Amino acid sequence: MLLSSTGAVQAANTLSIESWRSDDANIWSDVIIPAFNKSHPDTKVNFAPTPPTEYNSALQAKLKAGSAGDLITCRPFDTALDLYKDGHLANLNPLKGLEQFSDVAKSAWVTDDGKDQFCMPVASVLHGFVYNKEIFAELNLSVPKTRDEFFKTLETIKSESRYIPLAMGTADQWEAATMGFQNIGPNHWKGEKGRKALLSGEEKLTDPAYVDTFKELAQWKPYLGRGFEAQKYSDSQNLFTLSRAAIYPAGSWDIQTFNNQADFEFGAFPPPVAKAGETCYISDHTDMGIGINASSTNKEAAQVFLNWMASKEFATLYANEVPGFFPLSDHQINIKDPVAQEFMSWRQQCESTIRNSYQILSRGTPNLENQLWNVSAQVINGTMTPEAAAKEVQSGLKQWYKPQQ
């Protein structure tokens, strides 16, 4: 039987949390766990992270040895789904706290048929653009809201200043897809409507929405600065923090880096739409969940803790302690960091979706996510046409995914 979020717990209860977020260890020990203990003083909670690159293998070893913690931090989609299929994660369908989350929020930790929830959503990352407010003021620029305004802004920066308009390179490839294709694409394929139509086979990657996304990406090339083809992710971050670039195609996780390294005020804006007043769509990508170890001997206490994590109290604490990682619950909260608050405000203005290659569509060979990295970089480099890029990823998906055959 599930306990409520205020249910009594035996004094002997101790919960251990497996996680890859070693950077957050102090936040858990100094802020989150003490907050939980104010209302649940009889439950001891230990946050026991593993370095991110070692987490998956270390967790598997612990699960096989029977030494894994009571609560398992879940990566999105297939990695966690495999743990559930292998019997390592408990079914969370009866968990009351799940009522606080939308279907989009829960989509990364649900079975393909949508029936079984095995991790509770914790946090997402959002995509958009970060800009240097001092450069914008110097050049008398306004934040662009439409694509025409966006490219006029880039042209002004290029022609009337020494600054690089867009800080992004293609050497690592993943940024081209993640901060490029998946950032601007949802406005073209209409968010969840288009993403689900790819899953069902109703739409194809050669349809105009996807070709047009690649066409818009191709227009970035003149504004990326000299030698962008050899520019890595860290190089792009440095160009922005050193005030050498005006705009940075961003993941919200960059906020903390820029807070630490930039000595200027920066802001953010969502991907511009085709025409003013149109519905906007944002990539609000499910990044982290948390589930219960199916072998835990302390499941009731674990359920109590998860229900507390579904609360407004947890959402507010987490969003303010880890700016750029946003709670996935439906609670309306205030974030002190102005740029993080700006990112999160888009949820009220725009429709949320997730990266379209992550659920099911990257299971086969060739892997759609990896293909998107490659072709997005080539499109920006000018070595592949938008039409050819769309044809290549559609051909790859068609090889193994039946609804697209």
Side-chain angles (χ1 to χ4, degrees):
M1 186 179 77
L2 292 179
L3 299 181
S4 71
S5 60
T6 57
V9 183
Q10 298 285 330
N13 281 338
T14 298
L15 296 172
S16 181
I17 303 173
E18 303 284 355
S19 176
W20 69 86
R21 290 289 302 171
S22 48
D23 288 352
D24 299 345
N26 289 341
I27 292 164
W28 279 88
S29 62
D30 298 345
V31 179
I32 295 173
I33 294 170
F36 172 73
N37 283 146
K38 284 183 180 178
S39 53
H40 303 83
D42 296 328
T43 302
K44 183 179 179 182
V45 182
N46 294 321
F47 183 74
T50 304
T53 55
E54 301 169 19
Y55 179 69
N56 288 13
S57 57
L59 178 62
Q60 285 283 359
K62 288 181 182 179
L63 288 167
K64 287 179 182 177
S67 61
D70 305 278
L71 292 157
I72 308 293
T73 304
C74 303
R75 295 194 187 275
F77 301 103
D78 288 358
T79 303
L81 178 60
D82 287 344
L83 291 178
Y84 179 68
K85 287 179 176 178
D86 291 343
H88 294 310
L89 291 172
N91 186 306
L92 296 186
N93 286 357
L95 194 73
K96 186 172 176 58
L98 287 172
E99 296 172 1
Q100 303 297 331
F101 301 89
S102 70
D103 288 343
V104 175
K106 292 187 286 189
S107 62
W109 300 285
V110 71
T111 50
D112 289 357
D113 58 12
K115 291 181 180 179
D116 294 325
Q117 196 77 35
F118 46 85
C119 299
M120 190 181 79
V122 176
S124 71
V125 289
L126 275 72
H127 290 294
F129 296 86
V130 172
Y131 68 100
N132 184 317
K133 287 190 172 184
E134 292 180 9
I135 294 175
F136 267 52
E138 178 185 333
L139 300 177
N140 197 29
L141 296 171
S142 299
V143 171
K145 295 182 178 178
T146 66
R147 286 178 206 142
D148 284 346
E149 291 171 358
F150 179 67
F151 284 103
K152 284 178 183 176
T153 298
L154 296 180
E155 188 59 38
T156 298
I157 297 165
K158 181 182 179 182
S159 61
E160 297 182 17
S161 76
R162 67 186 187 280
Y163 305 112
I164 296 167
L166 275 176
M168 195 186 79
T170 57
D172 291 332
Q173 294 195 347
W174 70 268
E175 302 100 307
T178 306
M179 275 94 97
F181 182 84
Q182 299 287 4
N183 189 351
I184 63 173
N187 278 331
H188 288 280
W189 59 72
K190 308 304 179 190
E192 283 291 278
K193 179 177 179 291
R195 187 183 76 84
K196 289 181 176 178
L198 273 186
L199 285 169
S200 68
E202 294 171 47
E203 291 182 7
K204 300 185 183 304
L205 288 160
T206 46
D207 288 350
Y210 303 93
V211 176
D212 289 347
T213 301
F214 285 124
K215 284 181 178 178
E216 185 180 347
L217 264 191
Q219 291 179 263
W220 286 16
K221 182 179 180 179
Y223 306 108
L224 294 175
R226 188 177 302 165
F228 72 86
E229 298 92 341
Q231 186 174 308
K232 294 181 176 294
Y233 175 55
S234 58
D235 299 326
S236 302
Q237 290 179 312
N238 289 337
L239 285 173
F240 186 73
T241 58
L242 294 172
S243 295
R244 290 177 57 193
I247 302 173
Y248 178 94
S252 57
W253 61 84
D254 286 306
I255 292 172
Q256 295 179 75
T257 299
F258 295 160
N259 280 343
N260 293 332
Q261 297 180 7
D263 61 0
F264 55 85
E265 190 177 357
F266 58 95
F269 59 88
V273 293
K275 296 179 181 178
E278 279 188 348
T279 300
C280 53
Y281 299 87
I282 54 169
S283 177
D284 187 353
H285 190 69
T286 43
D287 186 67
M288 182 169 67
I290 191 162
I292 297 175
N293 184 346
S295 299
S296 170
T297 57
N298 214 354
K299 288 191 179 71
E300 287 192 344
Q303 291 160 356
V304 170
F305 188 74
L306 287 193
N307 279 327
W308 178 80
M309 286 186 70
S311 70
K312 184 174 183 178
E313 180 184 12
F314 171 80
T316 303
L317 283 174
Y318 192 81
N320 280 293
E321 292 295 331
V322 195
F325 289 83
F326 301 96
L328 281 161
S329 57
D330 291 334
H331 301 295
Q332 298 300 309
I333 61 172
N334 290 317
I335 300 178
K336 295 172 186 175
D337 185 280
V339 181
Q341 178 61 38
E342 176 62 36
F343 267 92
M344 199 178 74
S345 72
W346 304 340
R347 286 178 172 174
Q348 311 308 314
Q349 306 162 20
C350 308
E351 298 290 330
S352 290
T353 187
I354 59 175
R355 297 175 202 156
N356 63 4
S357 54
Y358 269 60
Q359 187 178 33
I360 301 173
L361 298 185
S362 288
R363 282 181 187 166
T365 303
N367 178 295
L368 178 60
E369 172 70 2
N370 291 343
Q371 277 199 302
L372 285 172
W373 290 12
N374 180 266
V375 301
S376 296
Q378 287 199 63
V379 165
I380 294 171
N381 290 348
T383 56
M384 178 178 277
T385 67
E387 292 81 5
K391 185 177 180 180
E392 182 163 322
V393 290
Q394 176 61 30
S395 175
L397 190 59
K398 187 178 178 179
Q399 286 181 40
W400 63 270
Y401 188 58
K402 286 185 178 180
Q404 289 290 347
Q405 291 171 349

